[in-house]
Amino acid sequence: MSFTIVEPAHARLNRSELAVPGSRPELFEKAAKGSADVIFLDLEDAVAPGDKVQARKNVIEAINDIDWGTKTLSVRINGLDTPYMYRDVIDVIEQTGDRLDLFMIPKVGTTSDVYAVDMLTTQCEDAKGRTKRIGFELIIETALGMSNVEAIAHASKRNESLHFGVADYAASTKARTTVIGGPNPLYGVLTDIDGDKPRDYHWGDMWHFAVSRMVVAARAAGLRPIDGPFGDFKDGDGFRAQANRAAALGCEGKWAIHPSQIDLANEVNSPSEKEVSQAKRILEAMEQAQKDGQGAVSLDGRLIDIASIKQAEVMVKKAAQIAAAK
Ligand code: COA
Ligand code: MG
């Protein structure tokens, strides 16, 4: 282990994160009663420019009046290049109590973007006498943001999570796709010519590099990596495949842009009973191994060692977090 200890951010369940446009207040109660771990009320791209002021009012009212239960509640503020962002921060903090947990900052490009919102948030909190600090969720969705992702992850003590914003990222990198998330038929490999045999075409995952890079940057800073949206909300199998491949790389949650995606995201990002009981067996076996003075032993014909303890502990801890939230 390095002498540098990575301190984990404030621990929260973040298996599913529901996007709710601030301009559609009729959805707020439904979101609060649903099963998403985190809800973000959106002031940014789901709200048309003409609706920005009203959406902000709706969101402030909703933070104050709706019973959000034990859910984590976030507001996606507008980008730093817009004329809306400063007032999003000021009005939301000044006109609400302590209920809000997080700000989601879109299109973060440099550490200075995070610094600027941190400074403004801090002033507003201090002026209000708010003692509960608002945490930050940062969307990595531009070429600039991805090229600075490691530094951005460390830019503020408020940082809790990094999110991969696939659609804006595609636009920013000029990737040849117009869908929101999912595979791209252009991104694949054709098997070699082998006489007259038919050749196979294998689809690849064009987002692999971006998601992996963000996961590493997030984990190295103790933050949660979260995969962003999958636009085709009628395609549950497609959503599940995308969520599984993000989870396989280390993401611990995925956005839901429609209620039908929430339970899928929760399911994919919860360890199964079998995984949890296997993790507990690993912990028991390693406890015994350590008593016997051994660093590595076999369990069911497979090697387990000290690294296995950490993997198993992550699984057992997550299961305990989920049980506590029920
Ligand atoms: N939060 C809470 N409830 C929602 C919801 C959301 N984001 N999206 C839909 N619902 C509700 C609908 O009100 C409807 O409820 P009802 O059965 O009581 O009438 C039910 O879920 C089914 O909705 P449906 O009719 O299939 O969807 P829609 O046509 O009303 O809306 C979208 C579809 C995609 C426009 C809508 O889901 C949406 O705005 N999602 C968020 C998009 C977003 O924020 N994008 C920015 C981040 S990428
Ligand atoms: Mg975006």
Side-chain angles (χ1 to χ4, degrees):
M1 192 66 88
S2 166
F3 187 57
T4 298
I5 304 294
V6 176
E7 292 293 340
H10 184 106
R12 298 180 198 273
L13 221 43
N14 205 161
R15 297 167 301 170
S16 54
E17 178 141 354
L18 179 65
V20 188
S23 48
R24 292 192 64 188
E26 74 278 10
L27 302 184
F28 295 172
E29 285 278 0
K30 291 179 206 173
K33 291 203 177 83
S35 48
D37 289 338
V38 183
I39 292 171
F40 78 83
L41 303 174
D42 191 13
L43 298 177
E44 201 222 8
D45 280 356
V47 177
D51 293 337
K52 293 286 186 192
V53 173
Q54 185 57 46
R56 198 188 288 130
K57 286 187 187 149
N58 297 340
V59 163
I60 288 168
E61 212 175 283
I63 296 169
N64 289 329
D65 296 350
I66 289 181
D67 177 4
W68 298 99
T70 56
K71 288 189 186 311
T72 294
L73 187 60
S74 181
V75 168
R76 179 161 77 169
I77 59 175
N78 283 284
L80 279 85
D81 60 332
T82 70
Y84 314 112
M85 177 242 129
Y86 78 103
R87 193 151 285 292
D88 292 341
V89 173
I90 295 170
D91 284 4
V92 167
I93 298 178
E94 283 187 349
Q95 296 174 34
T96 64
D98 265 3
R99 182 57 186 85
L100 185 70
D101 300 298
L102 304 167
F103 276 140
M104 175 180 271
I105 311 175
K107 300 182 183 75
V108 175
T110 69
T111 56
S112 306
D113 290 340
V114 182
Y115 187 90
V117 182
D118 193 351
M119 179 273 292
L120 187 55
T121 301
T122 302
Q123 284 202 28
C124 293
E125 283 179 346
D126 289 350
K128 179 103 200 288
R130 194 188 210 268
T131 48
K132 182 179 137 187
R133 292 297 186 195
I134 293 172
F136 287 168
E137 320 184 87
L138 312 175
I139 317 182
I140 303 300
E141 53 183 342
T142 60
L144 184 64
M146 191 59 82
S147 68
N148 290 318
V149 66
E150 287 85 10
I152 287 170
H154 291 276
S156 167
K157 285 206 166 68
R158 296 181 189 268
N159 289 357
E160 290 198 10
S161 52
L162 300 183
H163 299 242
F164 181 56
V166 64
D168 277 303
Y169 186 77
S172 171
T173 53
K174 301 202 187 322
R176 294 185 53 194
T177 176
T178 50
V179 296
I180 299 183
N184 183 342
L186 291 175
Y187 192 83
V189 289
L190 187 63
T191 52
D192 284 349
I193 293 174
D194 183 7
D196 291 338
K197 286 190 191 152
R199 298 166 75 182
D200 294 322
Y201 184 71
H202 297 285
W203 290 32
D205 177 9
M206 71 178 283
W207 310 115
H208 177 87
F209 166 74
V211 177
S212 295
R213 182 165 180 191
M214 187 197 76
V215 167
V216 174
R219 294 300 186 195
L223 313 184
R224 298 183 292 277
I226 307 293
D227 193 31
F230 180 71
D232 186 356
F233 58 83
K234 298 261 185 312
D235 181 9
D237 289 341
F239 180 91
R240 190 192 300 275
Q242 288 300 298
N244 269 324
R245 93 359 170 162
L249 291 175
C251 286
E252 60 184 82
K254 184 160 176 64
W255 287 16
I257 51 122
H258 187 272
S260 62
Q261 296 179 332
I262 300 171
D263 288 342
L264 289 171
N266 284 346
E267 184 195 313
V268 166
N269 292 295
S270 302
S272 67
E273 267 178 45
K274 198 172 151 202
E275 285 171 315
V276 178
S277 60
Q278 180 64 5
K280 287 182 178 159
R281 286 185 65 223
I282 289 173
L283 292 179
E284 281 162 20
M286 282 310 298
E287 204 182 318
Q288 189 55 46
Q290 287 184 331
K291 274 187 200 148
D292 300 342
Q294 289 174 299
V297 286
S298 87
L299 180 67
D300 305 331
R302 287 182 190 198
L303 167 77
I304 57 168
D305 64 10
I306 290 169
S308 316
I309 300 180
K310 292 196 197 82
Q311 288 172 316
E313 277 173 351
V314 168
M315 196 78 84
V316 171
K317 223 164 152 182
K318 174 60 75 68
Q321 243 182 343
I322 294 167
K326 275 183 187 156

